[in-house]
Amino acid sequence: MRRQRNVKIVATLGPASESYEMIRALHEAGADVFRLNMSHGTHDEIRQKHRIIRQVEKDLDSPIAILADLQGPKLRVGAFANEAEELEEGAAFRLDLDPAPGDATRVCLPHPEIFEALEPGAGLLVNDGKIRLKVETCGSDFADCIVVTGGTISNRKGVNVPDVVLPLAALSEKDRDDLEFACQLGVDWLALSFVQRARDVFEARALADGRAAILSKIEKPAAVEDFDAILDASDGIMVARGDLGVELPVSAVPPIQKRLVRKCRAAAKPVIVATQMLESMIESPMPTRAEVSDVATAIYEGTDAIMLSAESAAGQYPVEAVSTMDQVAVQVEADPTYTQIIAASRTAQGSSVADAMVAAAREIAEKTEIKAICCFTQSGTTALLTARERPGVPIIAMTSLIGTARRLCLSWGCNCVMTPELERFKSAVVNAARAARAGGFATETDQIVVTAGVPFNVPGTTNILRVAPCDERLIYNTDPG
């Protein structure tokens, strides 16, 4: 199913989008990746959504990526005797390990690991940052705080600790169970929450054991500080602006987003910009102008994918939300300014043969009448390197491995096509020409660039490039391979 854009769309599934009809409609409207939020729903419910996605994939003969988003540790205060209390600015308030119901002066925070890490002067955020506390004194089982920003605090509200690295693993016991379930189910990507350092990613990767690619969610200041190591350890990145905007000043989030997107592109690893992109469309069939500009900004920055959360999971207009993202993307990518920005942000990367091959393919395609770049890939690396170049012509990623095709659905510009295992380069060129014609990328009178590795079916061997005609008769008559 060819898209008229290069940026990909991730749609979260939920109560508003769990039927076959709706999931198919979302894919036809433009969703390339479906996100399964492991924070909500039972394993049986997740399994049913997975089954439907794969049925849609089969019925439409269109690879679809599935992203399982792990919940991560949830830090929450305990309960209050009156269910809620009003905290006044400047008042004293204690957090402790006492399980007794809280009042206006204290409440239980059943996380000793937080007290182990706290220091005087550290900030604590409650209820998505609506309440802000500053630690005055603390010990192994308490923290005496001053209320910096007051408000209503109620049972089991979430707590953020932005100023310290917590001695917590990114994977809770629930996450470990969910990870194993998702891998056995056959998801393509695992999104890892609460990442603070690279070793959090290593743990998830060891548990996944190659069964799914690892995508790290950047939602904590510590992750921003250790980003280079986290990026190196990950297969992809999600800029989770919601929690990031709670734990950091909101004014800091846009430059962080731009910086992280550029680093991901340089590393040839897909990046998703997520959270509140079209939030008004949860209840409205039309987005706000500011939301449209936000989506457009992420596309101009060169992100691989943009994501819908509650808009498609629980909103009243899930298909309209996907269609809106699709329309914005098409308009932005047709803008000459977009082409100029993408070209200006392109820098030379890597010194391998594969790096040189994809750079040459892009250069040839943009300076001639080439209609598409067709790359044969087993691991997906060649397609990722080609996507990093952000060429001005379509990328056709051809692979004999369905898992590779699905994972590449998250990567900028990759049109994924299944092909049988091949032994000869001539067969690869013929298959590439057929795929280009069948997908509407080229006609018999056009030419394409084909990249591949010889010997075939060996990852990491991209070493050949050819400008080829799309007319099979010319291929057979002129290609000696």
Side-chain angles (χ1 to χ4, degrees), residues 99-119:
D103 55 30
T105 64
R106 61 153 297 277
V107 73
C108 178
L109 181 61
H111 302 285
E113 58 275 9
I114 293 182
F115 297 114
E116 290 176 18
L118 284 179
E119 297 176 352

Side-chain angles (χ1 to χ4, degrees), residues 9-17 26 33-37 40 67 69 217 238-243 272-282 295 306-319 321-322 325:
I9 296 175
V10 183
T12 303
L13 298 184
S17 51
L26 290 173
V33 182
F34 287 113
R35 171 176 173 255
L36 305 177
N37 189 347
H40 304 290
L67 168 68
D69 196 332
K217 295 167 67 175
M238 180 190 295
V239 185
R241 305 178 305 173
D243 283 322
I272 304 170
V273 174
T275 319
Q276 298 176 325
M277 301 211 81
L278 294 176
E279 191 162 8
S280 70
M281 292 194 74
I282 296 172
V295 172
I306 45 183
M307 192 176 99
L308 295 166
S309 297
E311 302 97 326
S312 58
Q316 297 178 35
Y317 304 96
V319 175
V322 171
M325 272 194 164

Side-chain angles (χ1 to χ4, degrees), residues 77 136 147 159 169 176 191 205 214 227 244 261 297 318 330 333 348 362 368-369 381 397 449:
V77 299
E136 295 284 294
V147 179
V159 177
R176 289 170 176 270
R205 184 176 295 284
I214 305 298
F227 181 73
L244 204 55
V261 168
T297 295
V330 170
E333 292 182 11
R362 189 263 308 161
T368 64
E369 293 299 313
T381 300
V449 169

Side-chain angles (χ1 to χ4, degrees), residues 127-410:
N127 193 14
D128 291 334
K130 295 182 176 66
I131 294 174
R132 295 177 177 261
L133 308 175
K134 182 179 179 181
V135 177
E136 295 284 294
T137 60
C138 55
S140 61
D141 60 355
F142 77 96
D144 286 327
C145 307
I146 293 295
V147 179
V148 177
T149 303
T152 302
I153 185 170
S154 55
N155 295 343
R156 291 174 285 280
K157 288 300 181 184
V159 177
N160 294 79
V161 190
D163 299 332
V164 296
V165 176
L166 295 175
L168 279 173
L171 296 172
S172 65
E173 284 305 311
K174 169 180 164 51
D175 293 323
R176 289 170 176 270
D177 290 342
D178 287 345
L179 184 151
E180 182 59 29
F181 166 75
C183 285
Q184 290 185 12
L185 201 58
V187 304
D188 308 295
W189 288 89
L190 287 167
L192 186 61
S193 300
F194 208 84
V195 174
Q196 299 184 95
R197 58 227 147 185
R199 71 169 178 260
D200 294 330
V201 187
F202 296 142
E203 181 184 9
R205 184 176 295 284
L207 292 171
D209 194 24
R211 294 174 292 174
I214 305 298
L215 185 141
S216 295
K217 295 167 67 175
I218 306 302
E219 52 192 356
K220 298 187 71 63
V224 176
E225 293 176 11
D226 198 32
F227 181 73
D228 289 348
I230 291 170
L231 175 60
D232 188 58
S234 307
D235 298 305
I237 295 292
M238 180 190 295
V239 185
R241 305 178 305 173
D243 283 322
L244 204 55
V246 170
E247 300 209 4
L248 287 168
V250 291
S251 58
V253 175
I256 289 172
Q257 173 181 313
K258 186 177 293 290
R259 188 165 70 250
L260 300 193
V261 168
R262 288 206 173 194
K263 287 189 173 187
C264 290
R265 179 180 169 191
K269 294 185 178 182
V271 56
I272 304 170
V273 174
T275 319
Q276 298 176 325
M277 301 211 81
L278 294 176
E279 191 162 8
S280 70
M281 292 194 74
I282 296 172
E283 298 178 345
S284 169
M286 292 291 293
T288 67
R289 306 303 185 270
E291 288 168 340
V292 170
S293 293
D294 181 43
V295 172
T297 295
I299 299 169
Y300 277 115
E301 288 170 352
T303 188
D304 287 82
I306 45 183
M307 192 176 99
L308 295 166
S309 297
E311 302 97 326
S312 58
Q316 297 178 35
Y317 304 96
V319 175
E320 290 83 353
V322 171
S323 295
T324 297
M325 272 194 164
D326 179 76
Q327 292 162 15
V328 173
V330 170
Q331 289 289 325
V332 168
E333 292 182 11
D335 179 10
T337 303
Y338 171 79
T339 304
Q340 295 167 7
I341 291 172
I342 293 300
S345 63
R346 183 186 296 123
T347 56
Q349 299 291 339
S351 57
S352 69
V353 171
D355 290 314
M357 297 293 280
V358 298
R362 189 263 308 161
E363 188 86 9
I364 292 168
E366 291 183 346
K367 290 187 175 181
T368 64
E369 293 299 313
I370 297 298
K371 296 299 182 181
I373 297 173
C374 185
C375 52
F376 287 80
T377 182
Q378 287 294 99
S379 65
T381 300
T382 303
L384 293 173
L385 292 176
T386 306
R388 180 182 66 190
E389 292 291 316
R390 300 296 193 262
V393 299
I395 302 168
I396 306 174
M398 301 194 68
T399 180
S400 61
L401 302 177
I402 185 61
T404 297
R406 289 167 174 165
R407 284 195 299 275
L408 288 173
C409 290
L410 184 59

